[in-house]
Amino acid sequence: MEIIIADHAGFCFGVERAVGLVEETSRKHTGVYTLGPIIHNPQIVRKFAEQGVGVCEDTDNFSNENTVVIRSHGVPKQTYGDLSEKSVNVVDATCPFVKKAQNSAQKLGQGGASVVVYGENNHPEVQSIVSFIDSEYFIVSGEAEANALPFREQYALIAQTTQNSESFDKIAEILKTKCSGLTVSNTICNATNLRQAAAISLAGQVDTMLVIGGKNSGNTTRLYEICKGICPRTMHIETKDELCKELFKDSRKVGITAGASTPGYLVDEVIEFLKEVTNEQD
Ligand code: SF4
């Protein structure tokens, strides 16, 4: 059985940076919390909990004795104000690409356009992006919702960083028919595009595809959906413990990819497991 690992599998730049900042902060300070899980990966969140880093969903109970790390997805604008009022020490691990989306949202709204954010309504990153918009805005999760938007003089389109580029372009085309002037700022980050392109290419070459990452991770789930559409025998797993040797008895070529929030050691464990299966098959 051949094992092929997709290019660009696992931690992206922003997640690596955020995880590194939590590690560094936990060494330097006590009373450290992340505001919401630092990334959508339960294994990493558990590891930090063991190192004494707590997860708190809101700012209510913080004081000047706490250090709070803001996650890579970012937080609503108001949260910065709340933390500053309480004199909390803040370490901002918001990914620079999310910052760019927040800044674009703010600028486009100030320009007077109705801002359309292509993303998941309840996702924390989308909630953080829209909090920077002072004008009217709409969140659309796909083409159907874009089609239902009203006519406006000016629309501006941005995206949650992990969305699909093809759908983004289609939504831009739809919006052109709904306004007199459209400004497009493609805020989808390259890490997502690269991961998706590599996964698409690999899923077409293998008979079994494993997508590793948090079940609560949006970008991992999207990788899974894309791969499943190409390679019907695609499985979404968080760790090697979800696998058994039986699953691979008919497999000749197994492809592996991992979401941007999946640590390398979880990928390595799956590879080790598959090597054992291969050795037994020989
Ligand atoms: S996927 Fe992109 S935007 Fe999100 S954390 Fe990674 S590098 Fe940043």
Side-chain angles (χ1 to χ4, degrees):
M1 187 173 78
E2 195 181 343
I3 304 160
I4 310 174
I5 299 134
D7 291 335
H8 312 289
F11 271 5
C12 62
F13 154 76
V15 166
E16 187 139 30
R17 178 175 170 271
V19 168
L21 282 169
V22 176
E23 258 157 20
E24 190 186 318
T25 308
S26 70
R27 281 196 300 272
K28 288 188 188 157
H29 301 275
T30 54
V32 177
Y33 285 85
T34 62
L35 209 42
I38 188 70
I39 54 172
H40 284 158
N41 184 273
Q43 288 74 27
I44 283 284
V45 171
R46 214 172 299 139
K47 180 180 151 237
F48 281 138
E50 283 159 17
Q51 292 173 13
V53 177
V55 178
C56 206
E57 294 296 336
D58 56 52
T59 58
D60 291 353
N61 297 319
F62 291 137
S63 72
N64 60 1
E65 297 192 348
N66 291 119
T67 295
V68 169
V69 185
I70 290 176
R71 56 193 169 182
S72 51
H73 291 134
V75 289
K77 192 177 174 185
Q78 180 58 38
T79 304
Y80 288 100
D82 294 346
L83 291 168
S84 161
E85 250 172 48
K86 291 169 182 274
S87 305
V88 175
N89 181 30
V90 174
V91 175
D92 195 350
T94 305
C95 176
F97 293 111
V98 176
K99 281 263 180 223
K100 185 185 151 201
Q102 293 168 342
N103 292 339
S104 290
Q106 186 156 16
K107 228 186 267 167
L108 291 167
Q110 283 166 353
S114 297
V115 182
V116 177
V117 182
Y118 166 40
E120 296 155 73
N121 199 346
N122 294 321
H123 193 286
E125 182 191 316
V126 173
Q127 292 306 317
S128 95
I129 291 170
V130 299
S131 72
F132 287 83
I133 304 172
D134 293 326
S135 64
E136 178 186 48
Y137 69 82
F138 300 92
I139 300 168
V140 297
S141 65
E143 291 161 57
E145 287 177 23
N147 267 317
L149 288 174
F151 189 89
R152 289 287 184 270
E153 197 53 36
Q154 296 285 328
Y155 267 127
L157 175 64
I158 59 171
Q160 180 183 359
T161 55
T162 48
Q163 289 298 325
N164 177 280
S165 288
E166 234 174 83
S167 304
F168 181 82
D169 292 341
K170 284 185 188 152
I171 289 170
E173 286 307 311
I174 293 167
L175 288 182
K176 278 183 195 162
T177 67
K178 301 239 167 219
C179 65
S180 311
L182 173 69
T183 311
V184 177
S185 173
N186 188 338
T187 51
I188 296 174
C189 105
N190 212 20
T192 308
N193 287 336
L194 290 173
R195 254 162 208 71
Q196 289 180 355
I200 287 167
S201 150
L202 183 54
Q205 301 168 41
V206 296
D207 54 64
T208 308
M209 189 78 196
L210 298 178
V211 181
I212 310 166
K215 299 267 162 73
N216 58 344
S217 155
N219 79 84
T220 308
T221 305
R222 248 184 313 278
L223 275 180
Y224 166 73
E225 285 162 358
I226 290 170
C227 292
K228 183 93 182 158
I230 300 166
C231 172
R233 220 173 126 67
T234 296
M235 294 172 250
H236 179 176
I237 56 165
E238 286 190 351
T239 71
K240 72 160 181 31
D241 298 338
E242 288 160 71
L243 298 175
C244 67
K245 291 176 181 168
E246 266 297 288
L247 283 171
F248 301 95
K249 69 178 189 329
D250 299 322
S251 301
R252 291 288 156 263
K253 257 190 193 184
V254 181
I256 296 177
T257 189
S261 50
T262 308
Y265 79 92
L266 291 176
V267 179
D268 291 343
E269 284 175 5
V270 172
I271 295 169
E272 274 316 303
F273 174 85
L274 291 177
K275 280 184 181 163
E276 276 172 35
V277 176
T278 311
N279 288 340
E280 283 180 24
Q281 284 175 343
D282 293 344

